[in-house]
Amino acid sequence: MSRSVIAPAHAAQGAPIPVLSARPVVLPAPGRGEDLQVRVSAPAAGRDLPIIVFSHGFGWSMDGYDPLAGFWAAHGFAVVQPTHLDSRTLNLPPDDPRTPLIWRFRVEDLKRVLDHLDLVEAAVPGLSGRLDRSRVAVAGHSWGAQTASMLLGARIVDPEGGPGQDLSDPRVKAGVLLAAPGRGGADLTPFAAEHMPFMNPDFSHMTTPALVVAGDRDQSHLSVRGPDWFTDPYTLSPGGKSLLTLFGAEHGLGGIVGRDVTETTDENPERVALIQRLTTAYLRSALDPEDSGWTAARAALLESADPLGRVDSD
């Protein structure tokens, strides 16, 4: 296992590119109850754009997470953000028959985006023919990170204790999991165990490369464990993963959802800038074997008088 210390200084990643964005782009979704709305952000110039499909946290929508989506798009990625059924913008009632399976609808939303990339391209002026379908990543925050992890190979343990269905997707080559919930079972609070049985992931099959991001002060009300619960996707999965531990970070990780958001209890622009920089470097290298940006970024962070966190890799 290797480790590097993270400095607050910004590493050069090139000047940001002007971004074009379109919302809502509507994708057909038979059996979902309503079509899927997504937001698409992409650099205004360039071809062969790698793709990031981003899953929002509980209650959010395609309109959140601009500090990440906007940054990634300005640095060469096409970013697609679906609005899941649990979004507050949709007001799905608790007794809706879809509610118990929203976790499954979420996974299907991400796959639906990949199934309809032709429609995504056609809906955004100037984007047609510019996406590289061979370089696809998924990312997500909180419940969205669990959603993204399913396409990387994680599974939901079934009621009988089995590993659950394999919902991984071979089109996905890498992932970024931000504040992803850890293992379920005895690690959940009684409330979570009763009301959220889908919060029982098995990471032993999550073989696709991923960067796991966790705050060392992220204390979940859903788990009886401490902040180390959010490192489970790294510690309990097969090799080929990296872990970014952020010092002093809580569940909002400094403000990745957006500026002045009341749910961000640890607002810290430097921490957000660090996440922007490292996730960009990681995804570039994960999707392009010839790109050495992740190695270079880690090497540049070995010395720091005021570290913001650390990187571990297996």
Side-chain angles (χ1 to χ4, degrees), residues 14-37:
I17 306 167
V19 171
L20 54 86
S21 183
R23 64 166 297 279
V25 174
V26 180
L27 306 180
R32 187 176 184 267
E34 55 189 287
D35 288 337
L36 176 64
Q37 296 189 22

Side-chain angles (χ1 to χ4, degrees), residues 213-237:
V213 182
D216 70 357
R217 292 187 184 175
D218 188 357
Q219 180 59 60
S220 176
H221 66 281
L222 301 176
S223 175
V224 297
R225 286 170 52 194
D228 69 304
W229 187 56
F230 293 97
T231 69
D232 281 357
Y234 172 73
T235 59
L236 300 179
S237 64

Side-chain angles (χ1 to χ4, degrees), residues 83-304:
T83 293
H84 298 302
L85 289 174
D86 60 277
S87 173
R88 288 187 290 265
T89 64
L90 300 180
N91 289 320
L92 201 71
D95 59 353
D96 188 285
R98 292 169 290 179
T99 298
L101 289 176
I102 279 185
W103 71 268
R104 182 66 176 264
F105 281 106
R106 279 174 147 265
V107 176
E108 292 171 356
D109 288 346
L110 302 191
K111 289 176 175 282
R112 185 168 284 111
V113 169
L114 299 180
D115 291 340
H116 293 290
L117 288 176
D118 288 346
L119 293 180
V120 169
E121 281 190 324
V124 183
L127 187 59
S128 182
R130 297 175 56 210
L131 299 183
D132 184 350
R133 288 160 174 74
S134 71
R135 294 192 292 160
V136 175
V138 291
H141 174 238
S142 192
W143 194 10
Q146 177 174 300
T147 304
S149 76
M150 305 294 288
L151 275 70
L152 304 175
R155 304 182 185 184
I156 299 298
V157 176
D158 63 34
E160 289 74 37
Q165 185 179 358
D166 179 9
L167 299 175
S168 62
D169 196 306
R171 294 171 292 186
V172 176
K173 308 304 181 186
V176 171
L177 307 179
L178 301 134
R183 134 183 102 183
D187 290 349
L188 296 180
T189 63
F191 175 87
E194 179 180 356
H195 297 282
M196 302 176 183
F198 55 84
M199 284 200 121
N200 199 5
D202 172 12
F203 300 109
S204 63
H205 301 277
M206 195 175 78
T207 57
T208 305
L211 172 63
V212 177
V213 182
D216 70 357
R217 292 187 184 175
D218 188 357
Q219 180 59 60
S220 176
H221 66 281
L222 301 176
S223 175
V224 297
R225 286 170 52 194
D228 69 304
W229 187 56
F230 293 97
T231 69
D232 281 357
Y234 172 73
T235 59
L236 300 179
S237 64
K241 309 295 186 300
S242 292
L243 171 67
L244 167 58
T245 302
L246 298 167
F247 300 154
E250 299 176 10
H251 202 59
L253 301 178
I256 61 171
V257 174
R259 297 176 180 84
D260 302 319
V261 175
T262 57
E263 295 173 34
T264 299
T265 57
D266 62 337
E267 190 166 6
N268 187 315
E270 284 295 314
R271 186 176 296 136
V272 173
L274 173 70
I275 295 170
Q276 292 171 331
R277 178 164 55 91
L278 266 68
T279 56
T280 299
Y282 177 83
L283 288 173
R284 281 179 173 171
S285 295
L287 296 175
D288 182 359
E290 297 183 0
D291 186 293
S292 59
W294 177 240
T295 300
R298 293 193 57 196
L301 299 174
L302 285 172
E303 296 182 4
S304 174

